[in-house]
């Protein structure tokens, strides 16, 4: 079958092939049926695309690298864990990255990228690709396109929700940067305090740079121990006082007694300007060629499949938005270094006010659609704030109810701001979230604790020194179990898709005042030297790790 | 009227007296002498002749009925000895196995030259002795079928058994020698009362209604020491080597590759990858999630099952050249498989998994597969839990009826099929000019009000090991206020277990297609389709089709008959029954043996719409143009394949030239003067060169007329006309109603 009738091209069909002319009539031909079928196949296989670009604090070109968060880790971490709607007939995902692969130590090393499909519960991996992304520091511009295609083992037979995961593993620099610690020490102890030199390398040289500990890892001489660096709040008397104001740098996981020297090595890193996700389909519904052959009895049930197939394509769920895209620090949080953004969205418990969890601008092109918001949300109880040896009461998980409100607004002529825009749809959902107790082995818990309790001053930190290493990355091994898939819908009844004006979706939450039993057995204690108590609402964090918004045409 | 002189007789498979008549014994009724060419031994011994051979089918339900006979013979000395005895003890055994074409047999006994022996159901004539008990022989003697026989098969020198022996009703034209089988049955019992022998017979198809396969299925778990094993995320059921077990479903080539039912979950058995031994190692769980079990002994049962899916890696059926998951392929496999692989293309299953029928009209089935290659089932599982399978019930209710097909019996008693639908132009052509109605026979128009269906009730899915069944109810709009008086709503019930429930559960895609097809079925039964009962001479049926059940029959004008009591769909009395409204699908047929007439019941499926379903118009993509010969070479299979695209044009067709997007490339209309498999020759050139990629197609309907394809219809193709305008149609001398697509939304499933 030549091009044009096999779905490879879309060829507009002229009315002269169809239009009757008075008492004379145009015959319904195999040419017409095949052209329609092929166009529908082309449309169907074309699929849907959506883009994601993290917020940055600069508008630089594709060579501009500074102040754009570098992702690096020697152990596998994931920087994008998205709930994804895999509709019937979807056959592969194509991910295109605009990325810079660099190694600040000067090696021309690569980053191993992981593009994976998981089931919704993140318990089973269903497809994966692991390309090595070449170093781009010598390229012009330094940000280059990388395209990774993730085919499914079998074309999707029925709609399913799952996960789309992007992760990475960095390469280790050829030679050590420095010796960190002497032999015989308990390596789990803090390596640096926030006010130590080089803790935040960008005080003199914005990251990524060769001295940044967040793009380094520690290795035991002779092998056997390979550990990524994290930052975490200091509540240890021995390390600077339990005032929650300091911050320490150490390694993730339990302590490791070592006898050999520990050395620091540089890691290759990945910086993303953005990516696009293209959901592609296989046409499994195109009838055999013989069905549209000439001289066949022209049965309605056969030809009406054109309309059915087209309708099936039109009514597919379409991805509209991927997030979170991150946000810049509040001016009232001077501890977060200027020029850097937070990657995940989060709120802390508050039963007195609605708090914005996410906001998204959307272009919707079907009348009165339903919007589906899918999100992986982690409920955390940031208590007790652990030190390297931590505290002992960490097995309890408060069950707290939150109110989720989705509001979709649309600007009209005369509206001066979004606040004045008319609401096209709203929905309210009450949902109880488990707030996982702290765990020092969890990258998510540790980085969220460091974000919640940054170095604000005192012995361990100061303004601009509250940067949390690896915020925006999670560890697949332990953190998947903390993610909860949340699905919220809002119907846009009466939405006129011809208005050609964008919509804005706001997702706000409010903590419902918990009853005593909601806290379980969490004792309402405090840490010496701190006014924070365990049952304070703002010890509860709701973190959006990944979110997608879908248009479901009705 | 021509005189027809015939003999009617019953022939019994593998039964004869005179070895000089290879066709065997035929006990007859009639005073004529047979034509010398007949190889049957005609013995005038029938005491009476049956009145008629009747066959009926209800295409909506698939139910059918056929005649059964009791044949009464005069008990002459030789017939009594023949019919009232059988040989219970074998006289010898085959010294080597033979296939269906082997011309020698070895039975040890050297004294049987010139006699007939029986091996299994086959009669074999021993022509001459070659020494050492080896004979040159004639296979398939006395009307039996030559089949393969294994070494050691028992040899009888008289008929070993009568029960289930095939009986044929033969019509023999004494003037021409032509013989036709008019009925087929199986011997059920024989008794004698004084001077009469009564042979009770079942009609062949009726005898099969109780036939079951997969009887006494072995439990593979017994003695196998099965245990669950979990490895990472996978679940295995492993056991000791199954020594001596070979797949019963797939008899050859695959070792132990088969599918099993483990507590309702279907798994695939593979050979041990370690040592290749036949080990029960259920590795792949085909349907649904793997059983969520802990490691440990398995206490349940495991049965081999037949699994069919479109996935070539997950199916028990492998038929050369035909799609394995086509419902008709599966039906043929179940009907014809004998375990030997020698009963035709579809004989692919093991011995206990097919009926081994050799009376299937394969041509009609395969032609329908070729017409509808896109049909396929999503999944079918048979034999779950070791249960026997009633093949005819599965074929009829699960594989045929949901797709609009129904079993048919040809006039020769072969098992055929037909499809419910509106009359097409091809049907019209096949029906021919029309049969004359017998003046003294019935002319009955039955409104069939009692058959009006108000709803279709469907169960989708539910095959063992798959997802739960999804019920669907499709109802007609209420038009009857006194429905309660009918006692209940008349419903057509369909078993769509072969479809994946997700097709229906997900309304965004093919579920809609399923519902659309079901609604079409309901539409066919919704507007009660009247029936016309007429009698015609059995040699006056014209056209290519005999009045097989499901065939289309047209009637000649009634002529002097009083036909004004017939009323058309508009409520008008008619005097003409030659239009599309009166072509009928044969759903009942009684052949009168004495008078040689058919009394036919015709389902007037075109009665409501009064039109034939027209066809899709041809087109061909130009590959090159020879201005000298006015010949366009065209792509052969862009729009079809068989016949090739150019061959869908007919000499005499007017054509014009289109761009690929459908714009007219030329307003000039030319005529096709010749077609080949790859070219079309025209009467002249266009004013635009037919360059590569342009498309040859038909012009407007007022410029097109060609009766070559269908003599009664110059414009056989569906067209898009303005409402109320209609297309110019010369068939009936007037402008036909608009042939807008959508007028013919009815059809098969």
């Amino acid at each position: 079958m030549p091009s044009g009738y096999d779905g490879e091209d879309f060829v507009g069909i002229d009315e002269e092939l169809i239009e009757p002319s008075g008492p004379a009539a145009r015959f319904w031909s195999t040419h017409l049926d095949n052209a329609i079928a092929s166009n529908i196949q082309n449309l169907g296989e074309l699929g849907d695309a959506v883009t994601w670009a993290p917020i940055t604090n600069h508008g630089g070109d594709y060579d501009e690298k500074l102040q754009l968060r570098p992702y690096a880790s020697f152990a596998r971490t994931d920087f994008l864990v998205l709930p994804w709607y895999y509709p019937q007939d979807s056959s592969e995902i194509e991910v295109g990255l605009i990325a810079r692969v660099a190694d600040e130590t000067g090696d021309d090393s690569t980053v191993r990228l992981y593009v994976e499909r998981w089931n919704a519960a993140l318990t089973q991996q269903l497809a994966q690709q692991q390309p090595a992304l070449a170093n781009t520091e010598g390229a012009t511009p330094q940000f280059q396109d990388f395209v990774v295609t993730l085919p499914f083992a079998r074309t999707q037979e029925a709609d399913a929700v799952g996960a789309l995961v992007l992760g990475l593993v960095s390469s280790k620099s050829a030679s050590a940067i420095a010796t960190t610690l002497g032999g015989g020490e308990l390596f789990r102890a803090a390596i640096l305090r926030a006010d130590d030199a080089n803790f935040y390398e960008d005080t003199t040289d914005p990251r990524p740079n060769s001295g940044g500990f967040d793009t380094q890892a520690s290795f035991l001489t002779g092998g056997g121990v390979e550990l990524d660096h994290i930052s975490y709040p200091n509540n240890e008397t021995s390390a600077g006082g339990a005032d929650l104001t300091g911050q320490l740098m150490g390694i993730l996981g339990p302590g490791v007694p070592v006898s050999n020297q520990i050395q620091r090595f540089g890691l290759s890193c990945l910086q993303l300007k953005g990516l696009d996700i293209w959901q592609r389909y296989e046409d499994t519904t195109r009838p055999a060629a013989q069905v549209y052959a000439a001289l066949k009895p022209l049965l309605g049930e056969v030809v009406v499949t054109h309309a059915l197939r087209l309708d099936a394509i039109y009514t597919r769920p379409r991805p509209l938005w991927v997030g979170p895209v991150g946000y810049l620090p509040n001016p009232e949080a001077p501890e977060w270094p200027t020029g850097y953004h937070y990657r995940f969205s989060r709120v802390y418990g508050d039963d007195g006010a609605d708090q914005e969890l996410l906001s998204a601008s959307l272009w919707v092109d079907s009348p009165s659609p339903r919007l589906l918001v899918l999100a992986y949300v982690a409920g955390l109880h940031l208590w007790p704030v652990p030190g390297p040896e931590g505290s002992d009461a960490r097995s309890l998980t408060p069950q707290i109810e939150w109110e989720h409100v989705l509001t979709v607004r649309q600007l009209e002529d005369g509206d001066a701001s979004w606040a004045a825009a008319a609401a096209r749809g709203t929905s309210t959902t009450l949902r109880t979230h488990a707030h996982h107790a702290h765990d020092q082995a969890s990258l998510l818990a540790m980085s969220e604790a460091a974000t919640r309790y940054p170095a604000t001053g005192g012995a361990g930190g100061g303004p601009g020194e509250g940067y949390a290493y690896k915020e925006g990355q999670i560890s697949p091994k332990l953190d998947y179990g903390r993610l909860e898939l949340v699905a919220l819908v809002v119907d846009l009844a009466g939405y006129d898709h011809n208005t050609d004006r964008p919509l804005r979706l706001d997702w706000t939450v409010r903590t419902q005042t918990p009853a005593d039993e909601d806290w379980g057995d969490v004792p309402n204690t405090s840490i010496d030297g701190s006014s924070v108590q365990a049952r304070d609402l703002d010890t509860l964090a709701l973190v959006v790790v990944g979110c997608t918004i879908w248009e479901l045409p009705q | 009227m021509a005189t027809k002189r015939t003999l009617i007789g019953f022939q019994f498979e593998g039964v004869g007296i005179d070895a000089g008549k290879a066709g065997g014994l035929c006990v007859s009724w009639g005073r004529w002498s047979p034509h010398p060419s007949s190889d049957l031994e005609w013995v005038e011994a029938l005491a009476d002749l049956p009145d008629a051979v009747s066959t009926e089918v209800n295409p909506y339900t698939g139910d059918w009925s056929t005649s059964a006979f009791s044949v009464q013979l005069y008990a002459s000395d030789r017939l009594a000895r023949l019919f009232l005895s059988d040989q219970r003890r074998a006289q010898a055994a085959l010294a080597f196995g033979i296939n269906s074409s082997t011309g020698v047999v070895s039975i040890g006994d050297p004294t049987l030259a010139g006699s007939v022996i029986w091996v299994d159901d086959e009669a074999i004539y021993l022509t001459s002795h070659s020494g050492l008990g080896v004979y040159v022989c004639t296979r398939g003697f006395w009307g039996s079928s030559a089949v393969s026989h294994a070494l050691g098969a028992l040899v009888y020198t008289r008929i070993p058994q009568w029960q289930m022996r095939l009986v044929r009703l033969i019509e023999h034209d004494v003037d021409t020698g032509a013989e036709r089988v008019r009925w087929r049955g199986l011997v059920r019992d024989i008794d004698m009362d004084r001077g009469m022998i009564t042979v009770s017979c079942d009609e062949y198809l009726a005898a099969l209604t109780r036939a079951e396969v997969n009887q006494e299925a072995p439990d593979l778990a017994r003695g196998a020491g099965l245990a669950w094993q979990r490895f990472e995320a996978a679940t295995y059921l492993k056991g000791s080597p199954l020594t001596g077990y070979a797949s019963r479903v797939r008899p050859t080539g695959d070792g132990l590759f088969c599918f099993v039912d483990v507590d309702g979950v279907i798994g695939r058995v593979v050979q041990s990858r370690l040592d290749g031994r036949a080990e029960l190692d259920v590795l792949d769980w085909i349907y649904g999630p793997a059983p969520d079990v802990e490691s440990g002994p398995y206490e349940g049962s495991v049965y081999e099952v037949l699994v069919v899916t479109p996935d070539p890696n997950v199916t028990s059926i492998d038929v050369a050249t035909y799609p394995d998951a086509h419902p008709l392929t599966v039906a043929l496999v179940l009907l014809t498989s004998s375990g030997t692989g020698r009963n035709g293309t579809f004989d692919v299953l093991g011995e206990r998994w097919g009926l081994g029928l050799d009376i299937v009209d394969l041509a009609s089935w395969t032609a329908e597969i070729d017409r509808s290659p896109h049909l396929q089932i999503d999944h079918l599982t048979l034999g779950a839990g070791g249960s026997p399978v009633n093949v005819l019930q599965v074929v009829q209710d699960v594989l045929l009826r949901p797709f609009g097909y129904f079993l048919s019996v040809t006039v020769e008693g072969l098992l055929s099929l037909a499809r419910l639908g509106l009359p097409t132009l091809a049907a019209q052509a096949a029906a021919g000019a029309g049969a004359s109605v017998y003046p003294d026979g019935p002319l009955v128009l039955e409104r069939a009000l009692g058959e009006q269906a108000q709803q279709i009730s469907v169960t989708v899915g539910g095959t063992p090991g798959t997802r739960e069944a999804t019920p669907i109810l499709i109802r007609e709009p209420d038009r009857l206020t006194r429905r309660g008086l009918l006692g209940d709503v008349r419903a057509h019930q369909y078993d769509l277990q072969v479809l994946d429930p997700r097709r229906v559960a997900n309304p965004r895609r093919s579920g809609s297609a399923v519902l659309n097809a079901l609604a079409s079925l309901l539409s066919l039964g919704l507007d009660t389709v009247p029936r016309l009962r007429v009698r015609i001479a059995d040699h006056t049926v014209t056209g290519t089709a005999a009045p097989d059940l499901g065939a289309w029959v047209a009637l000649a004008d009634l002529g002097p008959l009083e036909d004004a009591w017939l009323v058309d769909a508009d409520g008008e009395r008619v005097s003409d029954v030659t239009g599309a409204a009166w072509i009928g699908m044969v759903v009942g047929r009684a052949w009168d043996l004495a008078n040689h007439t058919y009394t036919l019941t015709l389902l007037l499926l075109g009665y409501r719409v009064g039109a034939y379903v027209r066809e899709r118009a041809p087109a061909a993509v130009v590959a090159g143009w020879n201005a000298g010969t006015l010949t366009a070479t065209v792509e052969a299979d862009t729009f079809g394949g068989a016949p090739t695209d150019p061959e869908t044009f007919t000499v005499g067709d007017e054509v014009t030239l289109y761009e690929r997007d459908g714009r007219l490339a030329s307003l000039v209309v030319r005529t096709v003067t010749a077609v080949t498999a790859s070219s079309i020759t025209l009467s002249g050139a266009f004013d635009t060169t037919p360059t590569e990629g342009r498309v040859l197609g038909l012009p407007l309907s007022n410029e097109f007329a060609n009766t070559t394809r269908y003599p009664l219809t110059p414009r056989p193709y569906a067209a898009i006309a303005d409402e109320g305008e209609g297309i110019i149609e010369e068939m009936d001398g007037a402008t036909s109603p608009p042939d807008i697509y959508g007028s013919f939304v009815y059809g098969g499933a």
Side-chain angles (χ1 to χ4, degrees), chain B residues 58-83:
Chain B
N58 182 334
Y60 298 107
T61 64
D63 296 334
W64 43 264
S65 63
T66 55
S67 298
F69 292 123
S70 287
V71 182
Q72 287 200 310
L73 313 174
Y74 293 115
S76 66
D77 188 43
R78 58 178 185 166
L79 290 185
R81 284 205 301 261
L82 183 64
F83 278 85

Side-chain angles (χ1 to χ4, degrees), chain A residues 49-327:
Chain A
V50 66
T51 60
W52 174 79
I55 193 169
T56 66
N57 199 36
H58 66 78
D61 60 18
Y62 279 7
D63 274 322
E64 178 61 70
K65 59 162 184 164
L66 298 178
Q67 297 182 326
L68 186 62
R69 174 179 292 277
Y71 298 115
S73 64
F74 192 74
R76 157 81 182 271
T77 59
D78 296 335
F79 56 91
L80 206 61
V81 181
L82 299 173
W84 198 258
Y85 201 132
Y86 296 93
Q88 192 171 32
D89 284 347
S90 54
S91 58
E92 66 179 29
I93 294 275
E94 185 179 293
V95 179
L97 300 89
I98 304 172
R100 174 177 181 267
V101 178
D103 184 339
E104 298 299 328
T105 61
D107 293 340
D108 189 25
S109 57
T110 62
V111 163
R112 177 72 63 184
L113 180 70
Y114 292 78
V115 180
E116 297 169 343
R117 175 184 172 179
W118 287 68
N119 66 352
L122 290 163
T123 55
Q124 186 179 8
Q125 187 189 83
L126 303 174
Q128 71 161 352
Q129 292 285 8
Q130 302 178 7
L133 303 187
N135 192 292
T136 64
E137 290 174 284
T140 303
Q142 291 198 34
F143 282 89
Q144 291 286 309
D145 291 338
F146 296 94
V147 177
V148 182
T149 301
L150 181 67
F152 305 156
R154 183 176 292 184
T155 297
Q156 195 66 23
E157 294 176 339
D159 289 8
V161 170
L164 177 65
V165 174
L166 268 68
L168 63 83
V169 167
S170 301
S171 301
K172 174 185 169 186
S173 62
S175 55
I177 295 172
T179 298
T180 301
L181 296 170
E185 298 196 31
L186 186 64
F187 187 58
R188 183 65 184 84
I191 299 172
L192 296 172
R193 287 161 48 116
D195 56 351
D196 284 339
N198 297 328
F199 192 103
Y200 302 108
E201 196 62 34
D202 66 335
T203 54
T204 56
D205 184 10
R207 63 173 61 83
N209 60 49
S210 60
F213 288 98
D214 55 336
T215 52
Q216 295 178 15
S218 290
F219 297 81
L220 181 68
T221 303
V225 180
E226 303 152 346
L227 297 160
D228 279 310
H229 297 164
I230 59 168
S231 54
Y232 54 92
N234 170 24
N235 68 315
E236 286 192 314
T237 304
S238 60
D243 56 4
L244 298 178
T245 57
Q247 198 150 300
L248 305 175
M249 189 276 271
I251 49 87
L252 185 63
V256 181
V258 296
S259 56
N260 293 335
Q261 285 191 327
I262 300 294
Q263 293 180 310
R264 283 189 285 117
F265 283 76
L267 297 178
S268 61
C269 66
L270 179 75
Q271 290 178 283
L272 271 178
K273 286 271 190 186
L275 58 81
D276 60 71
I277 304 170
W278 206 304
Q279 180 145 295
R280 299 200 184 280
Y281 292 82
E282 179 188 350
D283 183 5
T284 64
T285 62
R286 178 166 179 160
Q290 296 94 326
V291 172
Y292 294 134
L295 313 188
K296 290 278 187 183
L298 193 66
L299 297 177
E301 69 179 54
V302 173
V303 184
V304 81
T305 55
H306 291 317
L308 294 173
R309 295 176 68 223
L310 199 57
D311 180 70
I313 293 169
Y314 178 73
T315 54
R316 279 174 185 161
R318 289 194 278 271
L320 295 177
W321 186 86
V322 168
V325 296
Y327 59 98

Side-chain angles (χ1 to χ4, degrees), chain A residues 1-5 9-35 85 87-89 124 154 156-159 284-285 287-305 308-309 311-313 315-317, chain B residues 311 314 370-374 419 424 467 500 502 506 508-510 512-513 516-517 520 613-619 621 635 637-640 643 647-648 658-664 693 695 698-702 704 709 715 717-722 725-728 741 744-749:
Chain A
M1 185 180 289
S3 175
Y5 302 99
D9 296 328
F10 186 95
V11 179
I13 298 173
D14 194 272
E15 62 185 9
E16 286 186 339
L17 192 59
I18 304 169
E19 192 175 38
S21 177
R26 189 69 66 185
F27 293 110
W28 189 285
S29 70
T30 182
H31 175 201
L32 177 60
D33 264 331
N34 277 276
Y85 201 132
Q88 192 171 32
D89 284 347
Q124 186 179 8
R154 183 176 292 184
Q156 195 66 23
E157 294 176 339
D159 289 8
T284 64
T285 62
Q290 296 94 326
V291 172
Y292 294 134
L295 313 188
K296 290 278 187 183
L298 193 66
L299 297 177
E301 69 179 54
V302 173
V303 184
V304 81
T305 55
L308 294 173
R309 295 176 68 223
D311 180 70
I313 293 169
T315 54
R316 279 174 185 161
Chain B
D311 184 345
V314 189
D370 291 338
R371 266 194 291 271
S372 56
H374 60 292
R419 199 175 193 193
T424 62
R467 298 160 191 86
D500 191 324
R502 290 176 300 187
N506 186 344
R508 290 192 305 102
R509 202 187 72 170
S510 37
S512 302
N516 180 50
S520 293
V613 177
R614 291 170 191 263
E615 298 177 350
R616 184 178 285 105
V621 178
E635 295 172 359
D637 60 354
T638 298
F639 298 139
E647 288 170 327
T648 60
Y658 293 85
E659 302 288 358
R660 201 176 77 173
D661 63 6
R663 279 178 295 133
L664 282 168
V695 182
L698 304 190
L700 285 169
S701 63
N702 61 349
F704 181 90
R709 183 164 168 74
R715 296 176 185 83
Y717 305 113
I720 313 159
D722 279 337
E725 291 281 5
I727 64 171
I728 294 174
Y741 168 70
F744 310 122
V745 294
Y746 305 104

Side-chain angles (χ1 to χ4, degrees), chain B residues 671-711:
Chain B
T671 303
V672 174
T673 59
V675 295
T676 71
S678 60
S679 71
I680 297 174
T681 305
L682 305 176
S683 59
F686 297 107
D687 55 0
T688 304
T689 304
T691 52
E692 181 179 357
R694 286 184 163 143
V695 182
L696 289 172
L698 304 190
L700 285 169
S701 63
N702 61 349
E703 297 175 285
F704 181 90
N706 187 3
T707 55
T708 306
R709 183 164 168 74
Y710 294 110

Side-chain angles (χ1 to χ4, degrees), chain B residues 214-376:
Chain B
N214 194 39
Q215 292 182 336
E216 300 171 1
D219 180 357
L220 304 186
R222 190 170 300 158
L226 294 177
W228 293 113
Q229 291 184 14
R230 300 202 63 151
F231 179 70
E232 295 184 344
T235 305
Y236 298 83
L237 184 62
K238 298 178 77 71
S240 59
L242 294 174
T243 306
Y245 185 80
S247 169
R248 291 156 62 108
V249 177
R250 299 185 66 148
T252 56
D254 293 300
L256 197 64
F257 174 78
C258 64
F259 302 92
V260 292
D261 166 36
V262 181
D263 293 344
V265 179
I266 306 302
R268 174 165 47 185
V269 176
V270 297
Q271 287 187 331
S272 168
R273 282 171 292 183
L274 293 177
D275 55 12
R277 292 181 303 170
E279 181 179 66
L280 185 60
D281 184 353
V282 184
L283 175 65
D284 301 318
W285 300 97
I286 306 304
Y287 294 137
D292 186 16
V293 294
E294 298 298 326
S295 296
Y298 174 66
E299 307 291 348
S301 299
V302 174
Y303 292 99
E304 186 180 359
V305 293
L306 183 148
V307 170
V308 183
T309 78
D311 184 345
N313 297 315
V314 189
T315 189
S316 304
I317 289 178
D318 183 12
V319 178
T321 71
Y322 291 98
D324 296 330
H326 195 291
L328 301 188
T329 301
V330 181
L332 283 175
V333 163
L334 289 169
L335 290 171
T336 65
S337 287
S338 66
T340 67
R342 298 193 178 99
N343 191 25
T345 305
F346 299 90
D347 181 4
V348 298
L349 296 183
E351 181 185 6
R352 292 171 181 270
W353 271 100
L355 294 185
L357 294 188
D358 57 1
I359 60 156
V360 177
D361 180 21
L362 281 178
S364 67
W365 290 72
T366 54
E368 193 56 42
I369 296 175
D370 291 338
R371 266 194 291 271
S372 56
H374 60 292
L375 290 185
Q376 71 174 29

Side-chain angles (χ1 to χ4, degrees), chain A residues 135 340 381 454 554:
Chain A
N135 192 292
Y340 292 92
H381 184 213
Q554 300 298 299

